[in-house]
Amino acid sequence: MALYFTSINSGSNGNCYYVGNEDEAILVDVGLTCKEVEKRMLRLNLSLEKVKAVFISHEHSDHIKGLAVFAKKYKIPVYISAATLKSSKLALDEHKTFGLSHIQNIQIGKLQITAFSKFHDAADPYSFTVECNGVRVGVFTDIGSVCDRLVSQFKRCHAAFLESNYCANMLANGQYPYFLKRRITSGRGHLSNAQALDLFLNHRPDYMSHLLLSHLSKDNNDPFLVEQMFNDVAGNTMIKVASRDCETEVYYVSDQNFKSYHFDPSLYQPEQLNLF
């Protein structure tokens, strides 16, 4: 059985990530409008009916903008920590809202989602890994610094979304006010290109097939340069920058010898493969 994954959008203008198998899927964050998520999933031939839950990393608007409408329209369970829910001030259906806690494992069909706390300037922020039949995909964004929890989860992933938010030189010499520069680099802001690359170099498992560089800053990064930085040392890992303007391709990792593939939905009719 394979895990399929894509970024619906990744950046300060909105974040939403899809991970699933042939039968069920989850979204991590809904930082776009419900309508925009629908449009992008339709273009990717991803069925909204297979989305069985939404997991929320934290309460910043670029992660929850479309959540209330999306959850209400599709009557989908939302997993969100109590502190995040309180800070978000969202009105969610209490019967379909479930809490999160550190190192919690949640079963959604054949998917096992592990939530673990991270460093970010939010009430109670989390990262996630999604596992099915021994295949694991991680969603690691909005992280101020690398901790042992992140290292231990990253080392087990066959594919991952990893924040590579800013170039330190571009940020230092850019137009952001001093307080914002301090927030970003505070250890509870975002990961720099160098920090993300260090994690990749020192803790990437040999079987990691895909790394999607995520949440790149519009003003303080260059997607072409950061992609080249990682490609220079990538080995057999495919490197892709997740766009802040549109959805990325759908990728998947199979449990058959952990082979990885790029799936092009335009080449097939969904019913022929029974994937989406």
Side-chain angles (χ1 to χ4, degrees):
M1 182 174 286
L3 276 179
Y4 302 82
F5 52 96
T6 185
S7 167
I8 305 300
N9 201 75
S10 184
S12 58
N13 59 333
N15 295 273
C16 184
Y17 306 96
Y18 174 103
V19 185
N21 59 30
E22 291 90 342
D23 302 312
E24 57 258 330
I26 66 147
L27 296 181
V28 174
D29 295 333
V30 185
L32 301 173
T33 65
C34 178
K35 184 176 181 180
E36 191 62 29
V37 172
E38 291 171 337
K39 285 168 54 178
R40 296 185 184 199
M41 289 186 62
L42 179 63
R43 289 198 294 257
L44 290 169
N45 283 343
L46 294 174
S47 171
L48 281 159
E49 293 182 358
K50 293 190 177 180
V51 178
K52 305 302 183 184
V54 175
F55 287 76
I56 298 300
S57 65
H58 63 292
E59 72 273 16
H60 293 165
S61 61
D62 55 321
H63 295 263
I64 63 169
K65 179 180 180 180
L67 174 62
V69 173
F70 186 87
K72 182 177 181 180
K73 180 174 182 178
Y74 292 99
K75 298 178 174 58
I76 290 176
V78 176
Y79 289 83
I80 183 171
S81 80
T84 298
L85 179 58
K86 181 178 179 180
S87 296
S88 74
K89 299 180 181 178
L90 292 175
L92 301 176
D93 182 351
E94 63 180 16
H95 299 295
K96 288 189 171 294
T97 303
F98 303 91
L100 287 175
S101 58
H102 176 51
I103 308 297
Q104 180 181 3
N105 294 315
I106 298 161
Q107 200 73 31
I108 304 292
K110 294 179 181 178
L111 304 175
Q112 179 176 283
I113 297 87
T114 299
F116 64 99
S117 59
K118 62 184 178 182
F119 291 115
H120 193 54
D121 56 352
D124 187 23
Y126 287 88
S127 287
F128 305 97
T129 58
V130 183
E131 180 174 347
C132 182
N133 283 9
V135 181
R136 288 171 292 277
V137 175
V139 183
F140 311 131
T141 69
D142 294 76
I143 300 168
S145 58
V146 174
C147 63
D148 290 343
R149 298 184 296 275
L150 175 58
V151 169
S152 65
Q153 295 292 333
F154 186 80
K155 291 170 73 171
R156 302 174 67 243
C157 285
H158 299 86
F161 299 90
L162 177 64
E163 174 170 84
S164 189
N165 180 257
Y166 66 94
C167 166
N169 288 334
M170 289 179 69
L171 178 63
N173 297 313
Q175 300 300 311
Y176 276 20
Y178 177 67
F179 80 89
L180 186 53
K181 291 180 180 180
R182 283 201 63 183
R183 172 189 174 266
I184 292 169
T185 61
S186 66
R188 291 187 175 273
H190 294 279
L191 281 188
S192 70
N193 296 341
Q195 290 171 307
L197 185 62
D198 183 72
L199 175 66
F200 179 67
L201 283 173
N202 291 309
H203 302 293
R204 165 189 49 169
D206 293 338
Y207 50 77
M208 180 173 279
S209 61
H210 297 75
L211 186 72
L212 275 67
L213 300 170
S214 304
H215 213 305
L216 272 68
S217 170
K218 179 181 178 181
D219 300 311
N220 301 302
N221 216 341
D222 183 329
F224 299 104
L225 290 180
V226 71
E227 187 171 290
Q228 188 59 55
M229 282 176 58
F230 280 80
N231 270 325
D232 286 345
V233 296
N236 294 324
T237 304
M238 191 214 75
I239 305 296
K240 173 74 175 181
V241 170
S243 175
R244 59 179 290 113
D245 300 310
C246 62
E247 67 276 13
T248 66
E249 301 93 335
V250 176
Y251 300 97
Y252 71 100
V253 181
S254 171
D255 60 352
Q256 185 178 2
N257 300 320
F258 299 123
K259 292 180 180 178
S260 61
Y261 304 86
H262 165 227
F263 177 74
D264 183 354
S266 67
L267 298 179
Y268 305 98
Q269 294 298 319
E271 62 270 16
Q272 290 177 325
L273 291 181
N274 194 30
L275 298 180
F276 302 106

